[in-house]
Amino acid sequence: AAASAPGSAAAPAPAGPLAMTIPTPQPAATSPGGGLLQSLFALVFVIALMLGAAWLMKRFGPRNFGGGNSNVKLVGALSVGARERILVVEVGEQWIVVGASPGRMNALATMPRQESSEPAATAALPTANFAEWFKQTIEKRNGK
């Protein structure tokens, strides 16, 4: 056995029947865009799942979970201002006309349930002019 001097390169081991070479793993040739593309697909998939869940909630949301046997139903709505609305709500066998504004709701009138197929907002108004109808409702409420 020859001893090597310090500072010189070591001689390779002789190849024999018991000599074994261990392959060293080579780094995989990956492109930097592969990870970015995979992340982009994952992001698109998650956004698609969120949009699908939102659509399902809108389509089959809490208003339809009761099986349609709810005692309170929104029959129609009419926007009368930027933030004010008139709603027709069905409660049992009665329709209630409700004025809704931010922070406040007032019952304006009640009427028996109607079976007509025309929109409830027009059926709820006794006259074509809202101002006249509103004036009549207030006068009726005050007993004039």
Side-chain angles (χ1 to χ4, degrees):
S4 62
S8 65
L18 298 177
M20 191 189 293
T21 58
I22 299 174
T24 57
Q26 297 294 326
T30 60
S31 65
L36 180 63
L37 192 61
Q38 184 178 8
S39 297
L40 182 66
F41 282 139
L43 179 64
V44 168
F45 179 72
V46 169
I47 290 174
L49 279 178
M50 291 172 54
L51 289 174
W55 178 81
L56 284 174
M57 284 303 293
K58 184 172 182 156
R59 178 86 168 109
F60 306 106
R63 67 172 179 221
N64 292 339
F65 281 142
N69 294 336
S70 177
N71 290 334
V72 179
K73 295 178 186 173
L74 180 63
V75 177
L78 174 68
S79 180
V80 292
R83 299 172 70 186
E84 295 83 18
R85 295 175 60 182
I86 301 232
L87 308 170
V88 178
V89 181
E90 181 179 319
V91 180
E93 293 296 318
Q94 185 174 356
W95 281 2
I96 302 173
V97 181
V98 177
S101 62
R104 188 166 190 172
M105 294 185 79
N106 292 326
L108 301 176
T110 59
M111 63 181 68
R113 180 177 177 222
Q114 299 177 6
E115 297 295 330
S116 67
S117 62
E118 66 183 69
T122 58
L125 300 175
T127 64
N129 189 351
F130 175 74
E132 290 177 23
W133 175 81
F134 191 69
K135 183 179 176 183
Q136 289 174 0
T137 304
I138 296 298
E139 287 175 357
K140 192 181 342 178
R141 182 180 263 182
N142 293 336
K144 291 184 179 179

